[in-house]
Every structure is written in C-alpha cells, then in structure tokens.
Amino acid sequence: MNDVARNEIADRIQSGFQRQGVGGASPNEIRSWKNSLQYMMNVLYDSEIPDQTEVAIEFQIPLTSRRVDFMILGRDNAGHKNLGVIELKQWEGTTTEAVRNKDGIIKTLLGGGIRETTHPSYQAWSYSKLIEDFNTKVEQDDINLCPLAYLHNFDTQYRDRIDNETYKPYTTRAPVFLRQDVGSLSTYLESKIQAHESETSIRDVASAELRPNRKLQDSLGEMLESNDEFTLIDSQKVVFERAVELAEQANTTDTKNVLIVEGGPGTGKTVVAINILAELIQQGLTSQYVSKNRAPREVYKEKLRSGMLVKEIDHLFTGAGSYVSTASNQLPALIADEAHRLNEKSNFFGKGENQIMEIINAAQFSAFFIDEKQRVHINDIGSKQEIKKFADELGAELETLKLEAQFRCSGSDGYISWVDDVLEIRDTANADGFDLEFDVRLYDDPQRMHDEIAQKDAQGTLSRVVAGYCWEWDKEGRDDSSYYDIEIGDYRKSWNRDGGDPWAIDEGSIDEVGCIHTCQGLEFDYAGVIIGPDLKYRNGQIVTDHEGRASTDRSLFGVKKMLREEPEQAGKIIDEVIKNTYRTLLSRGLKGCYIYCCDDQLREYLRDRLANINATTET
C-alpha cells in the first residue's frame, strides 16, 4: 500500500521482472499496474486484514504463460488457509456485452475494437483450478483457493452484462465485483483472511513441485472407465503401454525420450493419445495433450468430461504454441496429436523457433502422433525427419511405433488405398476395389447428398457434411447459421459457426458445412464431402487449382509469390496440400462417404472409378 501511495509500485514490479528474468513489460501492462493496483489498495486500505499479510503480483501459473494479477494469503477465523486469486480488469460496462451462446465467452473493448474473450470469473477460476490441480504445496498444506474478479471501472448499472445466468457456472465459483462494490469486496476478503499465515508463504507455493493431485487423477480414471469410446485394442494397446513405459523411464532416470507414433486415418491416434495422458496423470506425472488444431481438443474434452464441467479439464489440453519460453525438461510429459500440423513460428506474433523443438525441449518425454499424408497447410512442418532432427539435437532417445489396424471406413485399409490411388497421391494395389462393407456414393446434386447425410444423422448415426475450403467465410455471418456462405446452384448452406459448442458434435451442425479445420482428427459415422473447384480432372489426370480456394483460407497463403520464384516447388506444395485435404475429408467416415464434385469432369472420372467396384451412384 505504501508503494502504491508513493507511485512506486510499477517500478517495484518492473525490477522484479528483471530480477527474475521474466522479460520486459509492455506499456499496457505498466499502465494496468498503476491503475488497477490503486483500486486494489483502496479495497485493502480500511479493511481488517492484517498489515503483514502476504500478497503476490503477477504470479506465474503452472503449465501456462499466464499470470495471476493479484494474490493474497491468510487464515480465516476457523484457522483455514485461504489463497485469494484475483483477476483485475479495467473494462467498462458501456463497451461490454454478454455472449449467451458460448461457454464462458464475453465481448469487450480490447486492442482498439470490440472482441470476444474469456469472462473474468472464468479466468480467475481457471487459474485457481490449475494451481489447485498441480501445485503440491497447495495440496499438502490444504490451502483453499478463493478466486474472484474485480472490475473497478465497471459501473453497476451494467451488471447484467457481466453477471447473469449465462455466466453462473463461473460467477458462483469466482464472484465478480464492480466499481461500487468496494465495501462488499473488502468484507469478502476479510471473511477469508483474518489472520496472517505464518507457516506457508506464497513463495513456498511458487517454488512447489508440480504434480497432479489425487482428485484430478481419480477423476480422469473414472472418465475413461465410463466411456467405451476410449477402450484400446490390438496395436493401440501396444503403443499405449510402450509410451507409458518410456515416460516413466525418462522421469525416473532423468533422461529425455521421444516417441513417434505413425498412423493413418482412423487408426485411433487420438484415442491412444488421450489414454496416455490420463494414465500419466494418474501416475502423478504432470502431462498435457497438445495439438495445433483446436477442433479435436474441444471435441475430446467434451467426450472425456463424463458429466463434469468441460472447463474443469481445460488445462490438460493446450495449443502447440504454448512452450516458446518453457525451460528445458520442465514438464514430465507432452502428448502431441496431429503432429503433422505443427508449425515453426508458435503464435500470431511470430514468436518461437520451431514447435517440434519447443515440445521436445519442454518435456522429459514427448510423444508425436503423426500421419505425414495429412499435411494440409503450407506452414505444416511436422514430419518424422524433423522430429528425429530435434530429438538428436536435444540429446533424446528416439523410438518409432506404428498403429497398424484401420478402424475407420469399416476396417478397410483398402478404401484409404483406393482414395490415394484415385487422387493420384500414390499408385496402390487397390485401384479397382476395396472392402464393400463401406458405403460410398456419388451424387449429381449436392442438396440430395446433404439430405441423405441429414437422414443418417436423424437415425442416430453421427453424420456431417464437409467441403474443401473453396467458399469465402464472410465475417458478418460467422455466428449465423442462416447466413449462406456456400452456393452451388440452388444448394445454399452456411459454413460452420464460429465458436460455441464443438462443431463436429453440436446438434445444429447437421444443417451446416464443415471445413478441414473443424474435422481433421475427428470422425463421423457417415461423411458427406463436397469437392470444390480446387480439384479437377483434365486430360486423364487429377489437377489441383489453388485459385479455386477461398481467400479466407490461409492454407496456401504465400504460394503466389512462391510460384514466381520457385514454380516447381510451389506446384508440389499446391498438389500436396489440396490432395491431402481431400484425402483427409474423404476418410472421415466410419461407415460411409457420400461425394459431390463441383467439377463435371472429375465427377465423371469418379463415376468410372466407382463403377469398377459396383458402388452406388445417385442422380
């Protein structure tokens, strides 16, 4: 409080940043310290909280690059240890609005515009959840986490925009206090902290070992046991046991192990990855599931939660750019799914050197699940060669395993090989046929195809329509399923909605069309695939056309310049990205795939190929 009164608090924090090697603070951060901590001092000024009570500012949260704005530690009248976790915001009510169709999301003024972000109560609660789940000192000393959000500029006349039924799952866990709530916030903190805590310091919490607590371990075990979808069979079980063995070995002997797991579409890569994550957590090894693509993370969180609030396991799933600044071997294990989608630069600001290197560096054990034929973006660098290169550079032992069995497409390896042959990705022995238990059909009318897929979905078989990214995803229609992005004659549909429930399993998704980014790494019973104008058939050959892609799709961004400078290399990349995109889309179905082609010649080519195997064609 004296530092704030003397206008020295920002200087003190900056010197702490320098002393601890955190890096430089941005002007916005410095401004927020000067503003928000003035209001925090006002809350504490006349309170009965003892003067010697410990506080922490910008407390580093385990397993993330995030920091808690303000923490305060003490005891209540009953002698319980309480740690307040406070999220401070300078938001104002006039520029904030509730988002009622998305879990824990709100709109406010950020970066010069009104943008979606996480609700402050969700932020405070999720930060406390991470600390509770992984900090051994918190578990051993039985410290209660007390999260809350304080919006000191937010007038109470706009309370319903921030504190309403939509956000109740989080505001009940982390109450929100506004500008006129100084007295009630002070009273709340006084009820939690009435005596100085002398046995445990915040520094003890900060330096504690990270290990998943027993409650989290038990919860994950129960989730998997109650969900048959996560049962392992055949080579899946072999890979799982070996991965767990390598993780234990690396953490017991303080060595570094890397495992590459190869597997084509439908071999169960993600199911195995989730099982490894859960088992390592149950064994007390702090672990995270990593993927560049958000879609599989969101879907498998939803499937795994087993009645829990999905956000309660949110911190186990993270993006591939999370380890730019992570110290070597800080984490016992990282499980990288869809590793073929990894990039060099780790975020929108171009930070990071290489995501493969960063993951291997951060963990004692890292597993990479990969299918090199699913590279669908010009920036995708994930390959066995790149993983081996960085494993060697970082002194890791490398092992490679393969998932052999094919579970998608009615167990038919032949169908995937047939698709490879049809798309001229590679010559295969399945040019003229595959397992006929798989239902593949060709349609002349996209509406009829969509209707058939919708009928399958209505019968209880999860079915969706997906398409190549060949139609613009207009900004004004991204939250509106009645806004038509895709038009093919009389057929008019909306691209997948932006946010909300995971598109792949949301009930309303059957009336929309998904793209590669919403379905890669996922599967349906039946998949309807619209092959757009980026894939054609000319003069007896499959032809790719990058001009057929929408400008809102960034998967071939920069290829025009490459065509001028390195035309041969650019051509290879265009072929690879477009063909791999359709290979991936055409292999999303467990029981069947229904196809419509925008290019007439391609449709006739497919009709001839399907005629050889007596598959169904529809008019």
Side-chain angles (χ1 to χ4, degrees), residues 168-404:
K168 193 172 181 179
Y170 305 112
T171 55
T172 54
R173 290 168 168 83
V176 58
F177 296 88
L178 307 182
R179 185 168 71 87
Q180 289 94 335
D181 297 335
V182 176
S184 56
L185 174 53
S186 182
T187 300
Y188 177 84
L189 290 176
E190 286 173 348
S191 72
K192 302 296 182 183
I193 299 170
Q194 298 188 343
H196 169 57
E197 169 52 40
S198 57
E199 293 180 3
T200 305
S201 71
I202 294 182
R203 200 174 297 276
D204 293 335
V205 175
S207 60
E209 179 187 358
L210 298 183
R211 191 173 65 237
N213 67 26
R214 176 51 58 185
K215 182 180 176 183
L216 177 63
Q217 294 174 34
D218 292 344
S219 294
L220 275 177
E222 291 170 6
M223 288 178 195
L224 287 187
E225 288 175 10
S226 65
N227 196 327
D228 292 340
E229 187 173 348
F230 292 99
T231 301
L232 300 176
I233 58 176
D234 299 336
S235 62
Q236 293 179 332
K237 178 68 170 171
V238 174
V239 169
F240 164 80
E241 293 293 345
R242 182 56 178 159
V244 171
E245 182 182 18
L246 289 171
E248 292 172 341
Q249 180 189 93
N251 284 276
T252 301
T253 61
D254 194 27
T255 55
K256 187 181 280 289
N257 286 337
V258 173
L259 175 65
I260 296 174
V261 181
E262 296 180 75
T267 51
K269 296 187 294 295
T270 301
V271 169
V272 178
I274 297 294
N275 271 273
I276 295 169
L277 169 74
E279 179 63 24
L280 296 181
I281 291 288
Q282 289 176 85
Q283 293 194 16
L285 295 176
T286 299
S287 310
Q288 287 182 301
Y289 170 98
V290 183
S291 73
K292 176 181 181 281
N293 195 1
R294 187 179 68 176
R297 293 203 305 270
E298 297 300 317
V299 168
Y300 278 93
K301 275 190 291 186
E302 184 71 35
K303 289 182 176 182
L304 187 62
R305 66 175 179 164
S306 187
M308 293 176 67
L309 189 67
V310 69
K311 299 294 186 182
E312 291 190 48
I313 56 172
D314 198 49
H315 50 277
L316 299 180
F317 297 79
T318 188
S322 303
Y323 307 100
V324 174
S325 304
T326 305
S328 180
N329 296 338
Q330 183 172 329
L331 293 159
L334 291 175
I335 317 300
D337 199 9
E338 300 287 305
H340 39 271
R341 296 299 322 278
L342 295 175
N343 293 169
E344 287 186 338
K345 302 302 181 185
S346 283
N347 57 36
F348 292 116
F349 304 104
K351 292 183 179 178
E353 182 180 337
N354 183 289
Q355 289 178 349
I356 295 172
M357 181 276 290
E358 289 156 9
I359 290 168
I360 295 174
N361 175 69
Q364 293 278 174
F365 167 74
S366 50
F368 294 87
F369 288 79
I370 191 167
D371 177 2
E372 292 181 319
K373 292 188 178 68
Q374 288 196 49
R375 181 192 183 194
V376 296
H377 196 290
I378 194 171
N379 293 331
D380 292 349
I381 59 155
S383 68
K384 292 180 291 182
Q385 182 179 348
E386 283 287 291
I387 296 169
K388 182 180 186 307
K389 173 184 139 184
F390 286 113
D392 290 342
E393 288 182 8
L394 293 167
E397 292 293 322
L398 178 69
E399 186 169 325
T400 300
L401 296 175
K402 191 167 186 177
L403 289 167
E404 298 287 354

Side-chain angles (χ1 to χ4, degrees), residues 43-86:
V43 171
L44 300 172
Y45 187 73
D46 283 329
S47 76
E48 296 179 4
I49 296 173
D51 288 346
Q52 67 269 38
T53 300
E54 274 196 322
V55 301
I57 296 169
E58 299 292 350
F59 180 92
Q60 181 71 49
I61 305 167
L63 307 181
T64 85
S65 59
R66 302 288 186 179
R67 300 190 294 267
V68 176
D69 293 330
F70 193 91
M71 292 173 66
I72 185 165
L73 176 67
R75 288 178 183 256
D76 59 22
N77 271 342
H80 300 131
K81 297 179 182 179
N82 294 316
L83 182 61
V85 177
I86 303 174

Side-chain angles (χ1 to χ4, degrees), residues 467-472 495 531-535 548-550 582:
Y469 204 153
C470 300
W471 294 268
E472 301 297 336
W495 275 122
I531 300 179
D534 57 343
L535 194 72
R549 285 285 175 111
Y582 286 112

Side-chain angles (χ1 to χ4, degrees), residues 471-474 477 480 483-487 493-496:
W471 294 268
E472 301 297 336
W473 193 30
D474 290 337
D480 183 2
Y483 185 96
Y484 298 126
D485 306 282
I486 300 171
E487 296 192 25
K493 290 293 178 183
S494 175
W495 275 122
N496 43 274

